[in-house]
Amino acid sequence: MAHDHHHDTHGPAHQQEHGHGNGHTHDHADVDWAEMAPHLEAQAELYTPLYRQAMTWLAREVTEPGLVVDVGSGPGVVSCLFAETFPGARVVAADGAAPLLERARARAERLGFGDRFGTLAGDLPGALSELDYPADLMWASQSLHHLPDQRAALAALGGHLAPGGTLAILEGGLPARFLPRDIGIGRPGLQARIRAVEEDAFAEMRADLPDSVAEAEDWAAMLTAAGLKHTGTRSFLLDLPAPVSDAARDYVTTSLSRLRERIGERLDAEDRATLDRLLDPADEAGVHRRQDLFVLVAHTVYTAVRPV
C-alpha cells in the first residue's frame, strides 16, 4: 500500500489517495502513481517538520536500530528522513506502487543513502515476508485504516519485528485546517461541514472493504490485542501560519481540488459553489490569492514493542 503523507486524520494522497489527506480515495488500482508522485513528494516535504518531531521522539525510544522499515513508504521522503535520523541503520521502503519506489531509490541515492537503502514492492503486509531479517523499527503512516482487518494487520506487522523491536503507527490526530471559520463568502463553517461529509465517506469506505472488520479506533488497545506492548502515544503539530509559502499554497489548492473531485457532489449547492470560488484562480476570494490561508494539522503516533 503506497502512502502519501497528507493531512486527513484517517490517512496524509496517499492521504489524498491513500489516506495521506484531506479526503479519501481508496480505489488504488485506478491511481496513476507516476503522475501522483510529485504531489506526494511535495506534500511529504511540506510535512517534514512534523515528521522530524516524531523521529526525534522515536530516536529516544529506539537506539541504534539495525533495520528500519517504512511500510507504505510512497516516494520515500519519510524513508530518507529515517536514514538521516539513524545513520547506522539500513532502511527499507516498502510499498505496493513500483513507480513510487523508483522515486524513493532515486531520492536515497541523491541524498547519499543509497548504500544502505532498499525497496520492497508488493501488497502489504504480506510482502514483508521477503525481508532478509526482522526489523528493529517499523513505521506505518496512515496505511492501516485501508486494510479490512486492522488488528490482524498489526499482528502481521508485529510478526516482522525483532524481539524488542518497535512498531510505530501514525493514525488519527486532527484534520488539517486551511481557512478561518468565516472566509467572507458562503456560509461560515465550510471546512467543518466538508469534514463531516468526509467522515461519512470514510465510514462507507471501511464498510465496503471485502471482509471488513468493525473496530473501535483505540489503537493502543488494538496493539495490545495484536500481542504487542503499547509503550507510548504522542501527537505532533504542523503549524504553517499565514501568509503561507508558495509550496503550502500549492498543497492547499491541490488538496481542495482533489476533495472537490471526490466528494463535491455530496456537498449542498451553496457549499459546492463556495468551494468552486475558492478554487477559481481569477477570484480574489480564492485560495490562489487569499492572504489568510494557513496549514494547521496534528498527527498522532502510537508505539508498541514486540515482547522479548
Side-chain angles (χ1 to χ4, degrees):
M1 161 155 316
H3 76 203
D4 121 19
H5 298 84
H6 190 221
H7 60 269
D8 90 4
T9 62
H10 298 296
H14 280 41
Q15 233 171 295
Q16 300 263 59
E17 288 304 330
H18 251 81
H20 296 249
N22 204 358
H24 312 276
T25 294
H26 299 271
D27 187 0
H28 303 154
D30 294 334
V31 177
D32 184 338
W33 291 116
E35 180 182 346
M36 280 293 297
H39 165 65
L40 300 185
E41 283 186 347
Q43 178 178 294
E45 288 167 354
L46 193 70
Y47 274 63
T48 289
L50 184 153
Y51 295 128
R52 287 194 187 281
Q53 295 172 52
M55 289 186 192
T56 298
W57 179 59
L58 287 174
R60 292 197 290 266
E61 306 291 318
V62 183
T63 57
E64 300 184 358
L67 174 62
V68 178
V69 180
D70 183 1
V71 181
S73 63
V77 175
V78 175
S79 310
C80 287
L81 290 175
F82 274 113
E84 176 186 312
T85 301
F86 298 106
R90 175 168 177 76
V91 175
V92 171
D95 203 289
L100 299 183
L101 292 178
E102 292 173 10
R103 301 284 288 238
R105 281 192 293 271
R107 187 181 193 90
E109 290 288 349
R110 189 166 65 249
L111 295 175
F113 305 134
D115 59 338
R116 55 188 181 88
F117 190 94
T119 59
L120 179 59
D123 291 336
L124 299 170
L128 297 177
S129 61
E130 298 177 32
L131 289 171
D132 293 332
Y133 46 91
D136 301 295
L137 174 60
M138 187 171 288
W139 168 267
S141 173
Q142 296 179 323
S143 53
L144 287 164
H145 65 260
H146 296 278
L147 302 178
D149 189 336
Q150 297 168 104
R151 188 184 302 191
L154 289 170
L157 294 180
H160 295 290
L161 288 172
T166 294
L167 173 62
I169 61 168
L170 188 156
E171 290 284 351
L174 296 174
R177 293 298 299 259
F178 307 139
L179 295 159
R181 183 191 65 87
D182 190 336
I183 59 175
I185 58 174
R187 187 158 54 103
L190 174 66
Q191 272 205 274
R193 291 190 298 280
I194 288 175
R195 187 60 193 175
V197 172
E198 286 188 283
E199 292 286 0
D200 287 343
F202 182 81
E204 292 171 12
M205 180 281 295
R206 287 285 316 159
D208 289 344
L209 288 173
D211 302 317
S212 179
V213 177
E215 193 85 56
E217 291 180 356
D218 182 344
W219 289 99
M222 278 194 275
L223 287 162
T224 301
L228 303 172
K229 179 184 178 183
H230 174 235
T231 53
T233 302
R234 282 281 301 274
S235 293
F236 303 96
L237 188 70
L238 180 69
D239 179 11
L240 306 177
V244 293
S245 65
D246 289 344
R249 189 177 297 276
D250 288 346
Y251 161 67
V252 172
T253 303
T254 302
S255 297
L256 291 178
S257 297
R258 300 191 71 83
L259 184 150
R260 176 65 175 88
E261 295 170 9
R262 287 191 302 276
I263 66 165
E265 296 311 310
R266 301 175 69 150
L267 300 173
D268 67 31
E270 183 179 7
D271 283 346
R272 194 161 53 244
T274 301
L275 185 54
D276 287 342
R277 282 196 64 185
L278 286 171
L279 291 169
D280 182 354
D283 196 319
E284 290 291 341
V287 293
H288 296 83
R289 304 188 181 200
R290 322 182 52 100
Q291 294 304 301
D292 58 354
L293 209 62
F294 59 89
V295 178
L296 182 64
V297 61
H299 283 332
T300 302
V301 177
Y302 302 84
T303 57
V305 170
R306 179 176 182 177
V308 176

PDB file of all heavy atoms in Angstrom, residues 158-176:
ATOM      1  N   GLY A 158       3.736  -6.873  13.522  1.00  0.00           N
ATOM      2  CA  GLY A 158       4.498  -7.248  14.704  1.00  0.00           C
ATOM      3  C   GLY A 158       5.293  -8.518  14.510  1.00  0.00           C
ATOM      4  O   GLY A 158       6.379  -8.695  15.089  1.00  0.00           O
ATOM      5  N   GLY A 159       4.785  -9.403  13.663  1.00  0.00           N
ATOM      6  CA  GLY A 159       5.493 -10.644  13.395  1.00  0.00           C
ATOM      7  C   GLY A 159       6.780 -10.456  12.627  1.00  0.00           C
ATOM      8  O   GLY A 159       7.604 -11.383  12.565  1.00  0.00           O
ATOM      9  N   HIS A 160       6.969  -9.286  12.035  1.00  0.00           N
ATOM     10  CA  HIS A 160       8.207  -8.995  11.298  1.00  0.00           C
ATOM     11  C   HIS A 160       9.157  -8.114  12.098  1.00  0.00           C
ATOM     12  O   HIS A 160      10.133  -7.600  11.554  1.00  0.00           O
ATOM     13  CB  HIS A 160       7.874  -8.350   9.959  1.00  0.00           C
ATOM     14  CG  HIS A 160       7.127  -9.258   9.028  1.00  0.00           C
ATOM     15  ND1 HIS A 160       7.706 -10.348   8.434  1.00  0.00           N
ATOM     16  CD2 HIS A 160       5.830  -9.260   8.633  1.00  0.00           C
ATOM     17  CE1 HIS A 160       6.811 -10.976   7.692  1.00  0.00           C
ATOM     18  NE2 HIS A 160       5.666 -10.337   7.790  1.00  0.00           N
ATOM     19  N   LEU A 161       8.854  -7.952  13.392  1.00  0.00           N
ATOM     20  CA  LEU A 161       9.753  -7.226  14.280  1.00  0.00           C
ATOM     21  C   LEU A 161      10.707  -8.195  14.974  1.00  0.00           C
ATOM     22  O   LEU A 161      10.333  -9.332  15.308  1.00  0.00           O
ATOM     23  CB  LEU A 161       8.966  -6.482  15.368  1.00  0.00           C
ATOM     24  CG  LEU A 161       8.167  -5.249  14.977  1.00  0.00           C
ATOM     25  CD1 LEU A 161       7.322  -4.787  16.167  1.00  0.00           C
ATOM     26  CD2 LEU A 161       9.082  -4.120  14.506  1.00  0.00           C
ATOM     27  N   ALA A 162      11.920  -7.740  15.212  1.00  0.00           N
ATOM     28  CA  ALA A 162      12.825  -8.487  16.073  1.00  0.00           C
ATOM     29  C   ALA A 162      12.298  -8.423  17.508  1.00  0.00           C
ATOM     30  O   ALA A 162      11.588  -7.482  17.869  1.00  0.00           O
ATOM     31  CB  ALA A 162      14.228  -7.887  15.994  1.00  0.00           C
ATOM     32  N   PRO A 163      12.607  -9.421  18.347  1.00  0.00           N
ATOM     33  CA  PRO A 163      12.229  -9.308  19.765  1.00  0.00           C
ATOM     34  C   PRO A 163      12.748  -8.001  20.354  1.00  0.00           C
ATOM     35  O   PRO A 163      13.919  -7.645  20.175  1.00  0.00           O
ATOM     36  CB  PRO A 163      12.914 -10.525  20.390  1.00  0.00           C
ATOM     37  CG  PRO A 163      13.024 -11.514  19.263  1.00  0.00           C
ATOM     38  CD  PRO A 163      13.294 -10.680  18.042  1.00  0.00           C
ATOM     39  N   GLY A 164      11.867  -7.249  20.984  1.00  0.00           N
ATOM     40  CA  GLY A 164      12.232  -5.940  21.500  1.00  0.00           C
ATOM     41  C   GLY A 164      12.127  -4.834  20.468  1.00  0.00           C
ATOM     42  O   GLY A 164      12.346  -3.657  20.799  1.00  0.00           O
ATOM     43  N   GLY A 165      11.781  -5.192  19.233  1.00  0.00           N
ATOM     44  CA  GLY A 165      11.631  -4.191  18.178  1.00  0.00           C
ATOM     45  C   GLY A 165      10.378  -3.361  18.363  1.00  0.00           C
ATOM     46  O   GLY A 165       9.414  -3.781  19.016  1.00  0.00           O
ATOM     47  N   THR A 166      10.371  -2.172  17.757  1.00  0.00           N
ATOM     48  CA  THR A 166       9.292  -1.203  17.935  1.00  0.00           C
ATOM     49  C   THR A 166       8.485  -1.019  16.662  1.00  0.00           C
ATOM     50  O   THR A 166       9.056  -0.858  15.573  1.00  0.00           O
ATOM     51  CB  THR A 166       9.858   0.170  18.367  1.00  0.00           C
ATOM     52  OG1 THR A 166      10.432   0.041  19.675  1.00  0.00           O
ATOM     53  CG2 THR A 166       8.766   1.237  18.411  1.00  0.00           C
ATOM     54  N   LEU A 167       7.167  -1.038  16.816  1.00  0.00           N
ATOM     55  CA  LEU A 167       6.246  -0.661  15.745  1.00  0.00           C
ATOM     56  C   LEU A 167       5.697   0.715  16.062  1.00  0.00           C
ATOM     57  O   LEU A 167       5.182   0.948  17.170  1.00  0.00           O
ATOM     58  CB  LEU A 167       5.099  -1.673  15.646  1.00  0.00           C
ATOM     59  CG  LEU A 167       3.965  -1.326  14.668  1.00  0.00           C
ATOM     60  CD1 LEU A 167       4.480  -1.236  13.245  1.00  0.00           C
ATOM     61  CD2 LEU A 167       2.829  -2.346  14.765  1.00  0.00           C
ATOM     62  N   ALA A 168       5.817   1.639  15.124  1.00  0.00           N
ATOM     63  CA  ALA A 168       5.274   2.993  15.278  1.00  0.00           C
ATOM     64  C   ALA A 168       4.238   3.211  14.192  1.00  0.00           C
ATOM     65  O   ALA A 168       4.545   3.088  13.007  1.00  0.00           O
ATOM     66  CB  ALA A 168       6.387   4.037  15.179  1.00  0.00           C
ATOM     67  N   ILE A 169       3.016   3.506  14.575  1.00  0.00           N
ATOM     68  CA  ILE A 169       1.962   3.743  13.592  1.00  0.00           C
ATOM     69  C   ILE A 169       1.451   5.174  13.725  1.00  0.00           C
ATOM     70  O   ILE A 169       1.258   5.678  14.836  1.00  0.00           O
ATOM     71  CB  ILE A 169       0.800   2.736  13.731  1.00  0.00           C
ATOM     72  CG1 ILE A 169       0.133   2.838  15.101  1.00  0.00           C
ATOM     73  CG2 ILE A 169       1.292   1.313  13.485  1.00  0.00           C
ATOM     74  CD1 ILE A 169      -1.178   2.074  15.181  1.00  0.00           C
ATOM     75  N   LEU A 170       1.289   5.822  12.587  1.00  0.00           N
ATOM     76  CA  LEU A 170       0.712   7.160  12.556  1.00  0.00           C
ATOM     77  C   LEU A 170      -0.720   7.016  12.063  1.00  0.00           C
ATOM     78  O   LEU A 170      -0.959   6.662  10.918  1.00  0.00           O
ATOM     79  CB  LEU A 170       1.531   8.064  11.636  1.00  0.00           C
ATOM     80  CG  LEU A 170       1.172   9.562  11.619  1.00  0.00           C
ATOM     81  CD1 LEU A 170       2.374  10.392  11.162  1.00  0.00           C
ATOM     82  CD2 LEU A 170      -0.020   9.868  10.704  1.00  0.00           C
ATOM     83  N   GLU A 171      -1.649   7.225  12.952  1.00  0.00           N
ATOM     84  CA  GLU A 171      -3.078   7.141  12.636  1.00  0.00           C
ATOM     85  C   GLU A 171      -3.825   8.142  13.505  1.00  0.00           C
ATOM     86  O   GLU A 171      -3.564   8.251  14.696  1.00  0.00           O
ATOM     87  CB  GLU A 171      -3.630   5.732  12.903  1.00  0.00           C
ATOM     88  CG  GLU A 171      -3.155   4.661  11.941  1.00  0.00           C
ATOM     89  CD  GLU A 171      -3.823   4.724  10.578  1.00  0.00           C
ATOM     90  OE1 GLU A 171      -4.788   5.510  10.420  1.00  0.00           O
ATOM     91  OE2 GLU A 171      -3.397   3.985   9.667  1.00  0.00           O
ATOM     92  N   GLY A 172      -4.764   8.845  12.902  1.00  0.00           N
ATOM     93  CA  GLY A 172      -5.577   9.767  13.673  1.00  0.00           C
ATOM     94  C   GLY A 172      -4.884  11.089  13.946  1.00  0.00           C
ATOM     95  O   GLY A 172      -3.881  11.445  13.331  1.00  0.00           O
ATOM     96  N   GLY A 173      -5.433  11.815  14.880  1.00  0.00           N
ATOM     97  CA  GLY A 173      -4.961  13.160  15.178  1.00  0.00           C
ATOM     98  C   GLY A 173      -6.072  14.160  14.922  1.00  0.00           C
ATOM     99  O   GLY A 173      -7.232  13.913  15.264  1.00  0.00           O
ATOM    100  N   LEU A 174      -5.736  15.274  14.322  1.00  0.00           N
ATOM    101  CA  LEU A 174      -6.717  16.305  13.982  1.00  0.00           C
ATOM    102  C   LEU A 174      -6.582  16.644  12.504  1.00  0.00           C
ATOM    103  O   LEU A 174      -5.467  16.779  11.997  1.00  0.00           O
ATOM    104  CB  LEU A 174      -6.497  17.572  14.819  1.00  0.00           C
ATOM    105  CG  LEU A 174      -6.696  17.424  16.327  1.00  0.00           C
ATOM    106  CD1 LEU A 174      -6.305  18.721  17.042  1.00  0.00           C
ATOM    107  CD2 LEU A 174      -8.148  17.066  16.652  1.00  0.00           C
ATOM    108  N   PRO A 175      -7.710  16.783  11.798  1.00  0.00           N
ATOM    109  CA  PRO A 175      -7.644  17.065  10.362  1.00  0.00           C
ATOM    110  C   PRO A 175      -7.040  18.434  10.085  1.00  0.00           C
ATOM    111  O   PRO A 175      -7.104  19.344  10.915  1.00  0.00           O
ATOM    112  CB  PRO A 175      -9.106  17.005   9.922  1.00  0.00           C
ATOM    113  CG  PRO A 175      -9.894  17.297  11.160  1.00  0.00           C
ATOM    114  CD  PRO A 175      -9.104  16.709  12.293  1.00  0.00           C
ATOM    115  N   ALA A 176      -6.477  18.566   8.916  1.00  0.00           N
ATOM    116  CA  ALA A 176      -5.861  19.830   8.533  1.00  0.00           C
ATOM    117  C   ALA A 176      -6.909  20.917   8.367  1.00  0.00           C
ATOM    118  O   ALA A 176      -7.985  20.691   7.822  1.00  0.00           O
ATOM    119  CB  ALA A 176      -5.089  19.653   7.229  1.00  0.00           C
TER     120      ALA A 176
END
